[in-house]
């Protein structure tokens, strides 16, 4: 059986690797972006000079040959689902028995005037970073449109080249659509501390170019003009489905799939950023654009393709990010506001750069989730507490079991417990006695 | 701030240029007095004097021609003896280093104090002026790796190769031809007299430079990792052990006419620990000597395994060791240059364990000779084995390659490929230790910062992205992988041995 995977991102590659682990099927991975799999998450570090492209490849180049995973650098232009054939832009034909579509994302553009000027771009691919290298030569001021995770990354990239950064966000706070107010403000302060200009409640109206077709300014909806030589478009990403948009394959925002990652066409699957779940779990987004979920989906799909039909279950939500110098980890479903049946506990260090939040059920105090800023926390512990509905008082008392900061770090357990006891006088958390050294 | 930085760099470079020029400056004139002071044996004096007759009158403008003529004269005498088969008369030690050093006159000799200040004090201040403004240019603590792969010095540019060439040349001269560097050694004579009560040797200079470079480069570490207590403590620790244990204590012991000993240097890194002359010296110093010998053996047999069991080999390699200390300070800007390929790992295992075997065999041979008096073991000359080790491993590998290749192959070339003690510590760490780098569940995004900045060339990511803990014999526990991880995935820990190799699997995924 020949399995063809379009796209060599984490989802497609994980699928390929796990199919190989279980079977001898012929595997072909096609990508027009790069010859080999690399971590898209590390694109920013290439630009900032922390790494070179080679360092972003999780597997050495010989790995693919050794594991009989064939790689092909080509652009697929067309799919004939009836005859199970792919056509490249050079007219080459590729046949498949099973097809996995994992084409990832593209940058959102909302038909802004001037969005295709030189110096205006998003950051999703390797080519985007190469383009950014070109586009930022000699630039002194830049505007980042949209404050999400790619937004803050691009801001940091630009900042590393001493370019003045303006970040335009629609909400009242940075990433205000996702982060609770306190955390959003914390990040906002940190952005300001880095001398970046966060402009809230502001939307892009138009991008203005000079006579050479290069961006020279942007104009916001409230009429403000900001001079800039570079514009980063980071108002989210959406599934890259131009290949299958007008085909038999059912699509909405992304390629529609069921819980087994199957599309409406037999032997055709879609995973990762480009897939959209027909029936997402309550409160869960239909399109999951995360590294972790791509990996999990790849493993599930490999099982299904190899004959053990497996349902995808993301389990207890988790994620992490880094906002300039502040690390963020989250466990459980933590949105802007707690759910109606939840209470929230928030502690912040007086310096305003470290914080933690715990949401818990009003009824029985069972833990629903954590947000940590500037504190590293063990996933195993958080996952266990949320899964087993541990009481919030128990969790606060035992936070030290989950702290994951480097050795000799300053622990804020005492401060957190004191604050918790102050705002929840009924439930008194306690700190266990410290053990001596390693014992 | 940038101006201060550039001024600092300029000052440093000027001082460095002055330092580099010193071996080529000054005049050299050998007097009979100097000659007789160095050749105390009157028989040898008598034999050599006729050949050096012309030499005494002549003043040289360069040490190169001075050394050339001196060696020529010296060899001519020996050649004569050899030709006549008068083997008992052949003179083996030509004392060229101290002859040249004592014959130095003029500029350097006359300005030792001021040159000391320029070469060591002002240059260090220049270096600090270059580093400290970082606190103001980038006032917010955090990972500062911007542009590392965009600058020649940290990305194998021409300047990096020049620096490597300089380091290698330095090691070749200090080990093999110290006479040419005698003017440098003159600068630290004063300090040496204070500490040890004798004039400085090239090794005193080397130890002094080692400490000074570590001290200055520690400031860089303190600034770069100021928000990371593990790095701050670790840097302080290596610095303390270098200055106190490797430099001050041994020199003070010398001053007290006691055996020279670096109490933290452990065989087989300290490969000459069981050499005859050292054993004899320890044995002739009564209880103290025997205690020193016992301490050394205690470290090998009990100290290493017990400490590695509880803390991993990091307790030594990145908290105590001098080689590690230099790698973690001077070498830190180059850590990212280590080779992470599987091939490199294969070579690493073969080479480092071969060196360990070599060190053990060499020591057995040396001890065999020490106890039996027989100079051959299984038909091989034990002295030749020892010489081969000293030259090949002690000088070439540990020195010239180990440090010389910092700017090309990263900061831990010796520790990774060559150090027999690291191999020993590593075996314990791999099989019987509580130490591991824990991976935080499924949070890894495979970005590769950890692998890139691992000085030991461990592909940390390969483990982290599978939710596996990192347990590798080579890991020196520097903690940088955990520091550079943008997702808080890694933590160096000493935990229960049980389950240290288990990978994390989320309950949802246990089904498949």
């Amino acid at each position: 059986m020949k399995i063809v995977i379009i796209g060599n991102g984490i989802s497609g590659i994980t699928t390929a690797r796990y199919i190989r682990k279980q079977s001898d099927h012929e595997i072909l991975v096609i990508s027009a972006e790069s010859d080999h799999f690399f971590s898209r998450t590390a694109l920013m570090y290439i630009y900032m000079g922390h790494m070179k492209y080679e360092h972003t490849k999780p597997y050495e180049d010989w790995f693919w040959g050794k594991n009989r995973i064939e790689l092909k650098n080509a652009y697929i232009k067309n799919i004939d689902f009836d005859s199970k054939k792919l056509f490249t832009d050079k007219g080459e034909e590729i046949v498949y028995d099973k097809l996995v579509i994992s084409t990832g994302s593209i940058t959102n553009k909302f038909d802004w005037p001037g969005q295709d000027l030189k110096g205006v771009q998003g950051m999703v691919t390797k080519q985007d970073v190469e383009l950014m290298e070109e586009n930022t030569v000699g630039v002194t001021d830049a505007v980042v449109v949209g404050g999400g995770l790619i937004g803050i990354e691009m801001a940091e990239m630009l900042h590393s080249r001493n370019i003045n950064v303006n970040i335009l966000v629609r909400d009242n706070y940075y990433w205000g659509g996702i982060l609770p107010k306190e955390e959003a403000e914390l990040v906002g302060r940190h952005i300001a501390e880095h001398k970046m200009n966060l402009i809230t409640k502001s939307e892009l109206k138009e991008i203005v170019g000079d006579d050479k077709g290069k961006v020279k300014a942007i104009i916001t909806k409230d009429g403000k003009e900001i001079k800039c030589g570079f514009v980063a478009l980071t108002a989210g990403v959406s599934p890259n489905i131009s290949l299958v948009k007008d085909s038999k394959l059912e699509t909405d925002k992304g390629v529609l799939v069921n819980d087994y990652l199957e599309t409406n066409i037999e032997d055709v699957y879609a995973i990762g950023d480009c897939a959209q779940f027909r029936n997402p779990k309550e409160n869960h987004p239909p399109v999951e654009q995360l590294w972790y979920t791509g990996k999990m989906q790849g493993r599930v799909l490999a099982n299904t393709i190899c004959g053990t039909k497996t349902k995808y279950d993301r389990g207890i939500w988790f994620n992490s990010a880094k906002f300039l110098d502040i690390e963020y980890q989250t466990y459980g479903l933590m949105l802007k506001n707690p759910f109606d049946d939840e209470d929230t506990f928030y502690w912040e260090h007086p310096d305003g750069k470290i914080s933690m939040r715990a949401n818990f059920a009003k009824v029985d105090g069972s833990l629903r989730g954590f947000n940590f800023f500037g504190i590293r926390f063990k996933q195993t512990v958080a996952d266990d507490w949320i899964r087993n509905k541990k009481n919030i008082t128990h969790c606060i008392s035992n936070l030290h079991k989950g702290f994951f900061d480097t050795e000799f770090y300053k622990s804020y357990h005492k401060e957190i417990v004191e604050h918790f006891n102050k705002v929840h006088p009924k439930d008194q958390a306690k700190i266990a006695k410290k053990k001596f050294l390693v014992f | 701030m940038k101006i201060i930085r550039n001024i600092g760099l300029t000052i440093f470079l000027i001082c460095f240029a002055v330092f580099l020029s010193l071996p080529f400056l000054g005049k050299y004139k050998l007097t009979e007095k100097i000659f007789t002071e160095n050749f105390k044996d009157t028989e040898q004096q008598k034999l050599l004097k006729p050949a050096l007759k012309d030499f005494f009158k002549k003043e040289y403008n360069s040490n190169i021609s001075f050394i050339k003529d001196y060696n020529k004269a010296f060899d001519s005498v020996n050649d004569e003896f050899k030709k006549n088969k008068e083997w008992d008369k052949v003179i083996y030690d030509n004392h060229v280093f101290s002859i040249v050093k004592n014959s130095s006159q003029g500029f350097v000799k006359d300005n030792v104090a001021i040159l000391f200040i320029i070469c060591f004090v002002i240059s260090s201040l220049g270096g600090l002026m270059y580093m400290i403004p970082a606190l103001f240019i980038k006032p917010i603590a955090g990972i500062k790796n911007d542009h590392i792969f965009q600058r020649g010095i940290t990305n194998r540019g021409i300047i990096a190769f020049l620096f490597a060439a300089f380091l290698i040349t330095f090691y070749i001269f200090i080990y093999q031809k110290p006479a040419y560097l005698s003017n440098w050694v003159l600068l630290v004579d004063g300090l040496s007299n204070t500490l040890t009560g004798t004039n400085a040797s090239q090794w005193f200079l080397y130890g002094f430079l080692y400490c000074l470079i570590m001290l200055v480069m520690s400031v860089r570490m303190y600034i770069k990792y100021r928000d990371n207590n593990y790095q701050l403590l670790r840097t302080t620790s290596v610095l303390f052990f270098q200055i106190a244990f490797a430099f001050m204590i041994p020199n003070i012991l010398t001053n007290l006419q006691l055996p020279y000993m670096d109490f933290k240097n452990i065989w087989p890194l300290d490969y000459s620990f069981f050499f005859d002359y050292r054993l004899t010296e320890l044995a002739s110093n009564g209880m103290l000597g025997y205690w020193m010998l016992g301490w050394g053996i205690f470290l090998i047999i009990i100290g290493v395994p017990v400490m590695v069991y509880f803390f991993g080999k990091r307790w030594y390699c990145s908290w105590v060791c001098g080689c590690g200390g230099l790698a973690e300070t001077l070498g830190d800007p180059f850590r990212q240059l280590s080779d992470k390929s599987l091939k490199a790992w294969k070579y690493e295992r073969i080479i480092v364990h071969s060196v360990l075997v070599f060190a053990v065999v060499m020591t057995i041979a040396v001890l065999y000779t020490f106890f039996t008096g027989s100079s051959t073991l299984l038909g091989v000359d034990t002295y030749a084995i020892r010489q081969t080790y000293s030259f090949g491993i002690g000088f070439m590998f540990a020195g010239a390659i180990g440090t010389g290749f910092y700017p090309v192959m990263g900061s831990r070339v010796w520790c990774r490929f060559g150090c027999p003690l690291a191999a020993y510590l590593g075996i314990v760490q791999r099989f019987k230790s509580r130490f591991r780098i824990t991976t935080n569940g499924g949070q890894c995004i495979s970005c590769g910062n950890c692998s890139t900045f691992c000085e030991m060339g461990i592909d940390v990511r390969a483990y982290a992205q599978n939710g596996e803990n990192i347990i590798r014999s080579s890991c020196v526990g520097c903690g940088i992988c955990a520091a550079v991880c943008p997702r808080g995935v890694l933590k160096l820990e000493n935990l229960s041995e049980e389950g240290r190799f288990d990978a994390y699997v989320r309950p949802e995924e246990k089904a498949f």
Side-chain angles (χ1 to χ4, degrees), chain A residues 300-316:
Chain A
V300 169
L301 181 57
N303 279 355
T304 302
I305 287 175
C306 294
T308 322
K309 202 164 171 180
T310 311
K311 197 171 163 179
Y312 170 64
D313 176 8
R314 160 209 271 179
I316 290 169

Side-chain angles (χ1 to χ4, degrees), chain A residues 17 39 41-42 45-52 55-60 62 160-161 190 193-194 291-292 295-296 299-300 303 310 313-316 318-322 325 327 329 331 353 376-380 383 387 403-410 438-439, chain B residues 2 140-150 155 228-230 233 310-311 314 319 336 340-342 434 438-449 452-453 459 461 465-466 482-483 485-495 504 506-509 512:
Chain A
R17 282 181 51 235
S39 292
T41 48
Y45 300 112
I46 299 175
Y47 181 86
M48 298 202 299
H50 294 208
M51 288 191 242
K52 291 199 278 193
H55 299 115
T56 67
K57 290 194 243 178
Y59 304 96
E60 290 182 60
W62 52 259
S160 78
R161 302 275 174 106
H190 189 53
E193 188 185 19
H194 274 277
W291 185 263
Y292 327 98
K295 233 159 114 174
M296 290 176 208
R299 292 179 64 172
V300 169
N303 279 355
T310 311
D313 176 8
R314 160 209 271 179
I316 290 169
F318 67 101
N319 196 12
S320 63
K322 193 171 182 185
D325 297 313
E327 284 173 26
Q329 293 187 334
Y331 299 101
K353 286 171 87 164
R376 294 177 170 183
F377 201 82
K378 265 187 192 162
Q379 185 181 359
T380 41
D383 194 277
R387 194 178 298 273
F403 286 148
F404 200 69
D405 285 304
T406 52
E407 289 160 297
F408 307 112
Y409 69 100
K410 166 95 180 73
V438 291
F439 303 101
Chain B
K2 291 232 168 95
I140 303 159
I143 291 304
K144 314 267 182 238
N145 287 331
D146 286 357
H147 314 304
I148 278 187
F149 282 103
Q150 290 155 356
N155 185 31
N228 189 322
N229 288 343
Y230 182 74
L233 281 167
F310 285 109
F311 306 109
R314 56 183 174 155
W319 282 74
Q336 66 281 358
K340 277 76 177 185
S341 67
L342 194 66
R434 299 162 68 98
T438 309
T439 291
N440 191 6
Q443 289 276 26
C444 175
I445 53 165
S446 304
C447 70
N449 271 294
T452 305
F453 290 95
D459 191 358
R461 164 174 56 192
Q465 66 190 359
N466 289 336
C485 176
R487 292 292 190 271
V489 175
L490 303 167
K491 181 179 182 180
L492 281 65
E493 288 184 294
N494 314 307
L495 293 176
Y504 169 72
R506 303 177 71 226
E508 284 79 10
E509 290 175 73
F512 47 92

Side-chain angles (χ1 to χ4, degrees), chain A residues 60-295:
Chain A
E60 290 182 60
D61 293 350
W62 52 259
F63 175 88
W64 310 105
K66 192 183 165 222
N67 288 289
R68 288 170 291 120
I69 295 172
E70 199 191 331
L71 306 176
K72 188 174 177 68
N73 192 331
Y75 183 81
I76 301 299
K77 219 179 148 194
N78 215 340
I79 306 174
D80 181 350
F81 292 108
D82 298 326
S83 60
K84 293 191 167 181
K85 271 184 191 159
L86 308 173
F87 301 93
T88 71
D89 56 349
K90 293 194 178 105
E92 206 180 329
E93 258 183 48
I94 299 161
V95 291
Y96 67 84
D97 294 308
K98 282 180 193 279
L99 178 68
V100 178
I101 298 170
S102 57
T103 46
S105 289
I106 48 164
T107 299
N108 276 344
K109 291 183 177 181
F110 295 103
D111 294 323
W112 292 298
Q115 67 182 16
D116 295 319
L117 285 167
K118 194 167 159 37
V120 181
Q121 65 166 109
M123 188 186 69
V124 175
T125 63
K126 184 168 174 264
Q127 285 73 26
D128 286 338
V129 172
E130 287 156 8
L131 181 67
M132 187 165 166
E133 193 70 53
E134 251 173 64
N135 278 344
T136 50
V137 174
V139 169
T140 55
D141 295 84
V143 173
V144 176
V145 180
L149 295 178
I150 299 181
I152 196 81
E153 285 185 3
M154 288 185 88
E156 190 176 350
M157 290 158 80
L158 294 162
H159 189 67
S160 78
R161 302 275 174 106
N162 296 317
I163 295 168
N164 293 322
V165 181
N166 299 282
I167 308 173
L168 218 59
V169 301
R170 196 175 51 184
D171 302 299
N172 294 344
Y173 309 100
Y174 167 77
W175 216 22
I178 303 284
L179 293 179
K181 179 168 169 266
E182 289 86 354
E183 281 96 326
E185 282 180 331
L186 182 149
V187 178
R189 284 194 301 270
H190 189 53
I191 290 170
E193 188 185 19
H194 274 277
K195 308 265 188 298
M196 295 179 193
N197 186 19
L198 183 68
I199 306 166
T200 54
K201 285 180 271 187
S202 193
E203 280 185 75
L204 177 67
K205 188 177 142 217
E206 144 174 34
I207 304 166
V208 190
D210 59 16
D211 41 9
K212 282 180 198 139
K214 183 154 174 29
V215 59
K216 65 170 187 184
I218 62 124
I219 298 170
T220 64
K221 281 199 177 152
D222 42 11
K224 214 164 107 186
E225 188 182 305
I226 304 169
K227 293 222 172 334
C228 59
F230 181 80
V231 174
L233 299 179
T234 62
V237 291
S238 45
N240 175 19
I241 52 166
S242 53
L243 172 64
V244 291
K245 192 98 199 175
D246 304 309
S247 68
K248 282 168 69 180
L249 202 64
E250 275 182 46
T251 59
D252 174 31
K253 282 191 203 107
V255 180
L256 288 167
V257 294
N258 61 16
D259 285 348
Y260 297 94
L261 302 154
E262 294 164 330
T263 65
N264 63 312
I265 300 173
E266 209 185 336
D267 293 335
V268 178
Y269 309 86
I271 56 165
D273 280 19
C274 68
Q276 179 183 350
F277 289 98
R278 287 176 195 272
N279 307 301
K281 263 203 238 170
E282 199 192 346
N283 298 317
H284 284 243
V287 181
E288 296 183 333
Q289 295 149 329
L290 287 175
W291 185 263
Y292 327 98
T293 51
K295 233 159 114 174

Side-chain angles (χ1 to χ4, degrees), chain B residues 252-458:
Chain B
I252 291 167
L253 285 172
T254 309
N255 202 351
L256 299 173
Q257 317 265 313
L258 295 169
Y260 178 101
M261 178 138 172
D262 177 350
F263 289 98
K264 59 143 183 68
N265 204 359
I266 307 175
W267 178 90
L269 174 59
D270 182 9
Y271 62 88
S272 64
F273 186 76
F274 294 107
F275 281 9
D276 52 359
Y277 62 87
R278 287 186 63 179
L279 292 178
T280 316
E281 190 191 19
L282 291 178
S284 65
N285 271 277
M287 273 311 283
L288 181 77
Y290 284 110
W291 181 82
M292 284 175 167
L293 184 64
W295 170 250
I297 294 169
F298 167 81
L299 282 179
I300 301 162
I301 297 171
I302 298 168
V304 164
V306 169
M307 290 292 279
V308 176
Y309 174 74
F310 285 109
F311 306 109
K313 87 191 220 188
R314 56 183 174 155
W315 81 269
Y316 193 74
C317 297
S318 59
W319 282 74
V320 173
C321 180
C323 305
L326 194 70
E328 298 296 342
T329 48
L330 177 66
D332 185 70
F334 308 108
R335 55 168 52 251
Q336 66 281 358
L337 302 172
S338 60
D339 188 339
K340 277 76 177 185
S341 67
L342 194 66
K343 207 167 157 191
W345 184 19
K346 278 183 186 156
Y347 279 115
E348 167 197 316
R349 282 179 294 176
I350 295 169
I351 299 169
V352 79
H353 293 116
S354 304
V355 174
L356 176 60
V357 171
F358 188 10
V360 171
V361 169
M362 183 270 293
T363 305
I364 291 171
V366 165
L367 284 175
Y368 175 79
T369 302
F370 181 75
F371 286 115
T372 65
S374 156
S375 65
T376 55
L377 180 61
L378 304 173
V380 187
D381 180 9
T382 60
Y383 191 76
I385 303 178
R386 170 176 148 176
Q387 282 307 97
T388 310
Y389 190 94
S390 301
F391 182 83
I393 308 297
F395 153 59
M396 291 281 284
F397 209 155
I401 295 173
T403 308
F405 277 59
Y406 272 15
V408 184
M409 290 173 70
S411 53
R412 289 273 194 175
V413 179
W414 160 247
C415 312
R416 180 183 178 191
F417 293 99
C419 179
L421 179 58
Y424 170 33
L425 290 153
I427 292 167
V428 182
Q429 168 159 292
R430 171 66 180 69
F431 294 105
K432 193 73 190 164
S433 172
R434 299 162 68 98
F435 173 73
R436 89 281 295 278
I437 304 174
T438 309
T439 291
N440 191 6
Q443 289 276 26
C444 175
I445 53 165
S446 304
C447 70
N449 271 294
C450 50
S451 296
T452 305
F453 290 95
C454 177
E455 54 189 351
M456 295 302 281
I458 299 171

Side-chain angles (χ1 to χ4, degrees), chain A residues 376-417:
Chain A
R376 294 177 170 183
F377 201 82
K378 265 187 192 162
Q379 185 181 359
T380 41
V381 173
D383 194 277
D384 175 58
W385 288 351
I386 296 166
R387 194 178 298 273
N388 296 311
K389 300 191 166 45
K390 286 279 192 255
N391 188 276
I392 180 72
T393 314
H394 168 88
C395 298
I396 296 290
S397 300
N398 289 286
L399 277 178
H400 61 280
K401 290 184 180 157
F403 286 148
F404 200 69
D405 285 304
T406 52
E407 289 160 297
F408 307 112
Y409 69 100
K410 166 95 180 73
S411 162
Y412 297 103
H413 196 190
K414 195 167 149 256
E415 288 89 334
I416 294 170
V417 165

